Amino acid sequence: MQLKTMNLKSISLTVIFGLLTVSMVAQKNKIDGVSVVVGKNIVLDSDIDKFKQEIESRSEGKVTISDCEMLEELMQQKLLAHHAIIDSVTVSKSEVDSRVDRSIKFFLQEYGSEEKVVEAYGFNDIEDLKKELGKVQKENLLIEKEQQKITENVDVTPEEVRIYFNGLKDKKELPEFPAEVELSQIVLLAEATKEENKRVVDKLSMIKKEVEEEGASFKLKAIINSDDPSVAQNGGLLGAITKDTNFIKEFKEVAFSLDEGQISEPFKTAFGYHIVFLHKIKGNSREVSHILIEPEITDANLKETKERLEALKKDLVAGKIPFEETVKKHSEDKDTKNNGGIIVNPYTGETAFDLTRMDPALYGRINELKKGDYSDVFYDEVRGGGKMYKLILMKNRTNTHTADLVGDYVKVQQLALAKKKEETIAKWSKEKIEETYIKLSDNRKKCTFKANWKKENQ
């Protein structure tokens, strides 16, 4: 949601999210000065500039802050991280890995490939980036869990919500909520024929035989035959992988079942069919190459899939079949098949999408739809997810509007609760600052802070 009046406190979560995209760059370039030490955590001079840029970018220029304000927000995050350790807050490897995977997916959407992501952030390779992201995400989780611990008993009553709303109204600071939509979908995958799948498996089996029995070059075979888009640069070589490497499960299972010098039988993943060549075993890692061949999906396959979905749409519009039952019976998208087709926003984890921040391609397909309308049947293609046709249902839609206590009660309640939690954390911080080692650099001592970071009254 976008507030008409925004301040630094209202975007503290944005600061945390900013850690995902800029902090790791600072980790790679620790050559500048230290602005402050909070416990055992430091804030570099460069962090302040980078986080300022992140805030201003993510608020689309609606938020501008001074160096001192930015420093105080960063000190607050470091204070939380420091006391999370003291309070024995724990973070599991699976939690960190999940966050890292989500960050990598976000970066891939922004830059298009792993190579461009690595280049943009100045790392040697994707594993190097993931290692740094792991450190960043661990700190983020510590901060979030410490905040949850501090505010676990905080709640707001209906009366407090009403007072909060009226206070904003009196100050003419009522938030403006953007247009939001909730979408559901039916997805039909266009599948290759059994004959085509057999052709691909037979071809990979022949390549395996030519390498093993006739001495053919696996690298050359990969360059000639593989559908992996990076094969031209690496000849099918994927380098060293571990069981923690962000590869699909089926691929890792096969790679770790091989002996040195062995080539696997053809096997299927969401990307197509593979054979894997294990070069070396190095401790817990495996150095592998692969050849990927994607079965061809013909125009006839695509046409048949589209016609099936259009027939379903016709019956849905006519009211002959219920939507959720149709999803469960026919849809082939594993993420939405069992939840009525509801699409979850990957950035927020919620079902609502801010219409102004939606993917342009999807926006163009649903922008004119009213609640209960269906989109046209349209083609989509996702690497690793195949070729498909989709039908979107506009499940719910609200237009841009100024907050209303009755109509937007849940959102106003969330804002009131967030404010009360901020006040609780501020009170906690005031107490913890007094007992925590804090050392400001001389040039940062000139700042005026809201809290007593300088400990001037001691």
Side-chain angles (χ1 to χ4, degrees):
M1 71 192 78
Q2 184 79 34
L3 302 186
K4 285 182 178 178
T5 304
M6 296 183 72
N7 55 45
L8 190 58
K9 284 294 182 185
S10 70
I11 54 170
S12 58
L13 290 179
T14 306
V15 173
I16 294 175
F17 185 76
L19 284 164
L20 303 183
T21 57
V22 297
S23 178
M24 75 284 290
V25 180
Q27 295 287 332
K28 299 292 283 186
N29 298 286
K30 294 181 181 178
I31 57 174
D32 52 334
V34 174
S35 283
V36 65
V37 178
V38 179
K40 294 182 178 181
N41 300 317
I42 65 170
V43 176
L44 301 172
D45 292 337
S46 62
D47 290 339
I48 295 171
D49 291 333
K50 289 168 183 172
F51 277 84
K52 277 181 62 180
Q53 292 170 10
E54 186 81 356
I55 293 295
E56 290 168 9
S57 171
R58 294 198 178 280
S59 70
E60 297 177 346
K62 294 181 175 63
V63 176
T64 56
I65 57 180
S66 69
D67 285 3
C68 293
E69 288 176 311
M70 187 71 257
L71 176 59
E72 183 159 24
E73 183 65 17
L74 289 172
M75 286 192 292
Q76 174 67 32
Q77 303 306 315
K78 297 300 183 183
L79 184 70
L80 286 161
H82 174 70
H83 282 280
I85 300 297
I86 293 175
D87 294 341
S88 301
V89 171
T90 59
V91 173
S92 70
K93 184 177 184 301
S94 62
E95 289 176 305
V96 174
D97 290 346
S98 176
R99 291 289 188 92
V100 170
D101 289 344
R102 191 169 68 184
S103 299
I104 293 295
K105 288 178 182 177
F106 177 79
F107 296 151
L108 288 173
Q109 287 182 336
E110 284 199 335
Y111 291 95
S113 70
E114 288 186 356
E115 291 78 10
K116 290 181 179 178
V117 172
V118 169
E119 181 181 356
Y121 290 106
F123 286 83
N124 297 323
D125 52 43
I126 197 70
E127 292 305 317
D128 193 20
L129 172 58
K130 287 179 181 178
K131 184 177 179 181
E132 293 299 330
L133 270 172
K135 297 175 185 177
V136 172
Q137 292 291 17
K138 183 176 181 179
E139 181 172 86
N140 287 345
L141 282 161
L142 285 170
I143 291 169
E144 291 174 29
K145 288 189 175 188
E146 183 70 1
Q147 288 177 318
Q148 291 166 5
K149 180 176 178 293
I150 296 164
T151 62
E152 60 185 349
N153 296 320
V154 176
D155 203 353
V156 287
T157 64
E159 178 63 12
E160 287 175 313
V161 175
R162 187 187 67 79
I163 293 171
Y164 172 76
F165 179 86
N166 288 335
L168 293 176
K169 186 177 180 180
D170 292 343
K171 292 184 288 186
K172 293 182 169 47
E173 292 181 357
L174 284 176
E176 185 174 89
F177 297 121
E180 288 185 337
V181 296
E182 292 184 17
L183 307 171
S184 294
Q185 66 179 359
I186 297 174
V187 179
L188 296 187
L189 300 177
E191 302 282 2
T193 63
K194 292 181 179 178
E195 292 77 14
E196 171 61 9
N197 286 330
K198 183 177 184 303
R199 181 193 70 82
V200 170
V201 171
D202 289 346
K203 184 174 182 179
L204 286 168
S205 295
M206 181 58 68
I207 292 171
K208 168 181 164 69
K209 180 179 178 182
E210 290 172 350
V211 174
E212 288 181 334
E213 298 181 11
E214 301 173 19
S217 166
F218 191 93
K219 179 177 180 180
L220 184 58
K221 289 291 184 182
I223 293 172
I224 294 172
N225 296 285
S226 186
D227 292 323
D228 184 336
S230 65
V231 73
Q233 289 78 36
N234 61 24
L237 181 65
L238 297 174
I241 67 170
T242 69
K243 290 184 178 180
D244 294 327
T245 300
N246 188 30
F247 277 32
I248 51 181
K249 180 183 176 183
E250 301 92 331
F251 190 96
K252 288 191 288 187
E253 286 177 349
V254 172
F256 277 82
S257 71
L258 300 174
D259 295 323
E260 284 191 1
Q262 187 178 3
I263 300 175
S264 73
E265 297 294 333
F267 64 97
K268 187 179 182 180
T269 72
F271 291 90
Y273 287 90
H274 310 250
I275 54 174
V276 174
F277 181 18
L278 177 60
H279 297 283
K280 291 181 182 179
I281 297 175
K282 297 180 178 179
N284 294 325
S285 69
R286 302 292 186 271
E287 188 175 303
V288 298
S289 294
H290 82 134
I291 296 174
L292 165 69
I293 300 181
E294 300 172 0
E296 181 182 357
I297 297 174
T298 65
D299 290 342
N301 298 141
L302 293 170
K303 181 181 178 183
E304 187 272 335
T305 304
K306 183 179 181 182
E307 288 174 349
R308 280 197 296 128
L309 190 51
E310 286 179 335
L312 288 174
K313 178 186 176 181
K314 185 177 179 180
D315 287 343
L316 285 164
V317 172
K320 293 181 179 179
I321 51 177
F323 182 81
E324 290 189 5
E325 183 179 312
T326 305
V327 170
K328 192 169 185 178
K329 185 175 180 181
H330 295 282
S331 187
E332 296 170 319
D333 178 69
K334 61 182 178 64
D335 293 328
T336 59
K337 180 179 178 67
N338 296 316
N339 70 347
I342 297 171
I343 304 174
V344 176
N345 189 326
Y347 303 114
T348 65
E350 300 175 352
T351 58
F353 286 80
D354 182 339
L355 200 58
T356 63
R357 296 177 182 272
M358 181 173 283
D359 173 74
L362 182 57
Y363 174 87
R365 297 187 185 283
I366 60 92
N367 182 43
E368 300 299 324
L369 299 181
K370 298 182 178 66
K371 181 179 178 179
D373 285 351
Y374 291 96
S375 70
D376 292 332
V377 172
F378 64 95
Y379 173 80
D380 198 7
E381 182 176 338
V382 181
R383 176 163 170 75
K387 299 177 180 180
M388 66 201 75
Y389 279 93
K390 294 182 176 180
L391 175 66
I392 302 290
L393 167 66
M394 179 65 73
K395 192 173 179 65
N396 198 14
R397 177 168 187 158
T398 58
N399 294 320
T400 302
H401 62 284
T402 301
D404 172 78
L405 182 58
V406 176
D408 299 306
Y409 182 83
V410 173
K411 291 182 179 179
V412 175
Q413 181 189 47
Q414 290 172 344
L415 290 174
L417 180 59
K419 185 174 188 298
K420 191 170 181 179
K421 285 183 175 181
E422 286 174 1
E423 291 169 348
T424 302
I425 291 173
K427 182 180 178 181
W428 172 91
S429 297
K430 183 178 180 181
E431 297 172 358
K432 294 301 180 182
I433 286 171
E434 299 304 318
E435 63 185 62
T436 304
Y437 173 77
I438 298 168
K439 181 175 177 58
L440 286 154
S441 64
D442 290 341
N443 61 323
R444 300 302 180 186
K445 289 179 181 177
K446 300 174 184 177
C447 286
T448 299
F449 299 119
K450 294 178 182 178
N452 188 29
W453 297 98
K454 301 180 193 178
K455 301 188 180 184
E456 292 177 326
N457 58 353
Q458 289 186 352

